[in-house]
């Protein structure tokens, strides 16, 4: 995930901050579920961003220059009231299925730190299919990403979405 330090930060105002974060593809439209801990630097940056902006880079099983990867740019919606978290039971089950070790940090009365559920909603998708002379590199329409089938049991996928054959779409 990448975020930006707020403008009033004492030494790093406006600087990018990037660090791998857990996410899970738990939404039919391609939005991602996040475990939001206000103690984390990313969470602090998101809360200070007027648009709650973030970017998440996602790659295939084995990162390599020849393998597909995607950068999702979007915003984060935080659900500080556990009882108002949409689809709470299914979100929690999905997230734990992807990250069993996260059970210790789930929102609720037993967490070691304050934690909330959050949803990352992409508004832009930049795709790198591999090498540029052999694979598509560029933005893809958000609607195409959102309409892609879930990739749980369906071969090659990135960000939980089945990769489509670019020849089937005009994605100039």
């Amino acid at each position: 995930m990448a975020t930006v330090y707020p403008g009033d930060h004492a030494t790093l105002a406006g600087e990018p901050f990037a660090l791998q974060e857990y996410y899970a593809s738990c939404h039919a439209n391609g939005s991602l579920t996040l475990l939001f801990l206000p103690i984390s630097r990313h969470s602090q940056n998101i809360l200070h961003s007027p648009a709650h902006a973030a970017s998440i880079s996602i790659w295939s099983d084995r990162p390599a220059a020849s393998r597909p990867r995607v950068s999702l740019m979007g915003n984060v919606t935080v659900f500080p009231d556990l009882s108002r978290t949409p689809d709470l039971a299914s979100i929690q089950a999905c997230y734990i299925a992807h990250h069993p070790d996260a059970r210790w940090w789930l929102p609720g009365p037993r967490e070691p730190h304050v934690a909330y559920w959050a949803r990352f909603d992409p508004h832009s998708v930049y795709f790198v299919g591999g090498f540029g002379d052999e694979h598509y590199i560029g933005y893809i329409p958000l609607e195409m990403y959102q309409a892609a089938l879930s990739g749980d049991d369906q071969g090659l996928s990135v960000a939980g979405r089945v990769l489509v054959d670019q020849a089937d779409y005009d994605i100039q």
Side-chain angles (χ1 to χ4, degrees), residues 59-123:
W59 50 84
S60 55
D61 294 343
R62 298 180 323 265
S66 63
R67 307 274 304 164
R69 53 214 179 266
V70 67
S71 180
L72 303 174
M73 290 136 294
N75 60 8
V76 176
T77 301
V78 181
F79 301 103
D81 183 346
L82 193 59
S83 68
R84 295 180 149 202
T85 303
D87 304 315
L88 177 61
S90 63
I91 293 296
Q92 183 168 309
C94 171
Y95 196 86
I96 292 301
H98 285 85
H99 306 290
D101 61 321
R103 71 184 178 281
W104 302 111
W105 308 298
L106 295 181
R110 295 177 299 215
E111 76 270 3
H113 297 289
V114 173
Y116 306 115
W117 289 112
R119 184 185 63 237
F120 174 81
D121 297 306
H123 58 64

Side-chain angles (χ1 to χ4, degrees), residues 22-27 30-35 56 91-92 94-95 99 117-120:
Y22 277 179
Y23 64 84
S25 183
C26 300
H27 304 275
S31 292
L32 302 176
T33 297
L34 305 172
L35 193 56
I56 298 179
I91 293 296
Q92 183 168 309
C94 171
Y95 196 86
H99 306 290
W117 289 112
R119 184 185 63 237
F120 174 81

Side-chain angles (χ1 to χ4, degrees), residues 139-164:
Y139 290 95
I140 62 169
L142 181 61
E143 298 78 21
M144 182 189 298
Y145 170 77
Q146 290 175 325
L149 300 172
S150 174
D152 291 341
D153 299 315
Q154 302 186 30
L156 184 60
S157 67
V158 173
R161 316 310 286 168
V162 171
L163 300 177
V164 295

